[in-house]
């Protein structure tokens, strides 16, 4: 289902206008879930960290035992060419994707050499600076590498996230703050998470149960360059209950302030506003 107002699709060596069909009914990616994607953004005329998103697309493909068909630099150049079909002031969600068409001798594992590639460019506005999220606990947890491909941005991981979101929305919240298998906070159902207490910024330490995002790393670098103290550590629900501010980090919005976690409420505080300003200032200098 398309979420945006205008779409361009790259498939089989050509850019197409519209939401073009790219997968067949018997493709391995269709019936056994061998599909990966990444998400980047074009806004204000720039594509921040596009090279890193393309590199992660290839890393995700390898994690699902597929062989990428493009070098990351070539993928980024292709995407920039496709973005010329949009207005200079458009906001576009950039989604490169791989999937397998065939299985190997086991049928269950993908044939590494049957990898297909496509890009979906979808015009979706950037959320407003004060567009906030509300969080609640969820009974569903993030898996570990031994039982899921958590080292990839893989489509097969998202039904678990969907369960979290459906549960959260049934309780009147917009997102869920999820624990890892050990009972510590990992991330939300859709994004990495930060909390602020007494001016210090905290975020869950990467432990192999969630993707430590590209935008997350960019925020940490920006904050530290600005003189902020950022600590990656083990965090619990109780830590978030005593936070002064909470904000989310993800590709779609870059920074999303949180105004509630169950019964706790928060203002959109000065650190959250500063992190957003730092990101936009940094992005303005990118291509």
């Amino acid at each position: 289902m398309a979420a945006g107002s205008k779409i361009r699709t790259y498939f089989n060596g050509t850019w197409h206008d519209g939401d073009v069909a790219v997968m067949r009914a018997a493709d391995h990616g269709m019936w056994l879930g061998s599909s990966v994607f990444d998400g980047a953004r074009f806004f204000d005329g720039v594509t921040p960290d596009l090279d890193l998103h393309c590199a992660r697309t290839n890393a995700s493909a390898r994690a699902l035992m597929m062989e990428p068909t493009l070098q990351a630099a070539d993928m980024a150049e292709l995407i920039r060419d496709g973005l010329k079909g949009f207005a200079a002031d458009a906001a576009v969600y950039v989604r490169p994707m791989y999937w397998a068409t065939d299985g190997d001798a086991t049928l269950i594992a993908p044939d590494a050499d049957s990898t297909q590639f496509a890009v979906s460019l979808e015009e979706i506005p950037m959320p407003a600076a004060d567009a906030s999220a509300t969080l609640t606990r969820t009974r569903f947890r993030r898996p570990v590498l031994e039982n899921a491909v958590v080292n990839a941005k893989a489509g097969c991981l998202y039904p678990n996230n969907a369960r979290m979101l459906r549960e959260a929305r049934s309780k009147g919240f917009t997102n869920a703050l999820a624990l890892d298998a050990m009972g510590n906070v990992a991330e939300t159902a859709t994004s990495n998470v930060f909390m602020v207490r007494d001016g210090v910024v905290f975020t869950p330490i990467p432990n192999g149960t969630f993707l430590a995002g590209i935008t997350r790393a960019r925020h940490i670098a920006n904050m530290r360059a600005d003189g902020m103290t950022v600590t990656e550590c083990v965090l619990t629900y109780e830590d978030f209950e005593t936070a002064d501010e909470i904000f989310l980090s993800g590709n779609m919005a870059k920074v999303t302030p949180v105004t509630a976690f169950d019964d706790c409420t928060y203002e959109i505080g000065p650190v959250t506003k500063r992190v957003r300003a730092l990101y936009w200032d940094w992005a303005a200098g990118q291509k």
Side-chain angles (χ1 to χ4, degrees), residues 8 11 33 43 52 74 105-106 111-112 116 145 153 160 164 174 187 204 210 216 262 268 272:
R8 301 194 74 203
F11 183 57
F43 64 95
L52 298 182
D74 295 333
T106 69
D111 179 345
Q116 294 291 309
L145 186 59
K153 198 166 178 67
N160 193 45
M164 297 176 188
T174 63
E187 60 177 355
F210 63 94
R216 172 188 181 275
D262 284 335
I268 302 176
T272 302

Side-chain angles (χ1 to χ4, degrees), residues 180-261:
D180 60 23
M182 288 70 74
N184 301 308
V185 171
E187 60 177 355
T188 74
T190 61
S191 53
N192 296 137
V193 64
F194 292 82
M195 54 162 277
V196 184
R197 187 190 299 126
D198 298 328
V200 177
V201 181
F202 300 88
T203 191
I205 188 167
N207 62 0
T209 67
F210 63 94
L211 278 180
I214 292 166
T215 306
R216 172 188 181 275
R218 184 61 60 194
H219 289 324
I220 291 174
N222 288 347
M223 285 187 283
R224 287 176 172 164
D226 196 52
M228 297 187 200
T229 300
V230 184
T231 301
E232 297 177 277
C233 60
V234 174
L235 295 169
T236 66
Y237 279 153
E238 290 71 26
D239 290 311
F240 282 83
E241 289 177 333
T242 60
D244 300 321
E245 301 176 43
I246 301 174
F247 63 91
L248 309 182
S249 163
N251 175 64
M252 186 63 77
K254 304 303 180 182
V255 178
T256 302
V258 171
T259 53
F261 171 46

Side-chain angles (χ1 to χ4, degrees), residues 6-23 69-71 74-83 86 92-99 115-122:
K6 176 181 178 180
I7 296 177
R8 301 194 74 203
T9 306
Y10 179 86
F11 183 57
N12 279 343
T14 304
W15 281 105
H16 309 267
D17 290 329
D19 189 15
V20 175
V22 298
M23 192 178 290
T69 60
L70 283 177
Q71 296 294 320
D74 295 333
M75 190 187 304
E77 182 179 356
L78 173 72
I79 289 168
R80 290 190 179 99
D81 182 62
L83 287 167
F86 293 84
V92 181
Y93 184 63
V94 178
R95 189 167 51 237
M97 299 167 283
Y98 286 116
W99 68 97
T115 309
Q116 294 291 309
F117 175 76
V119 179
S120 176
L121 302 179
E122 191 168 1

Side-chain angles (χ1 to χ4, degrees), residues 134-138 167-168 171 173 175-178 237 260-262:
T134 56
L135 304 179
T136 186
R137 289 164 171 78
T138 175
E167 179 187 31
K171 295 162 62 178
F173 297 85
N175 211 325
L177 189 60
Y237 279 153
F261 171 46
D262 284 335

Side-chain angles (χ1 to χ4, degrees), residues 97-110:
M97 299 167 283
Y98 286 116
W99 68 97
T101 59
D102 302 319
D104 66 6
T106 69
L107 294 183
I108 303 301

Side-chain angles (χ1 to χ4, degrees), residues 35-52:
S35 65
V36 299
F37 72 99
D38 216 284
R41 270 296 209 171
F42 172 76
F43 64 95
D44 296 346
V46 296
T47 50
D49 284 326
L50 178 61
D51 56 337
L52 298 182

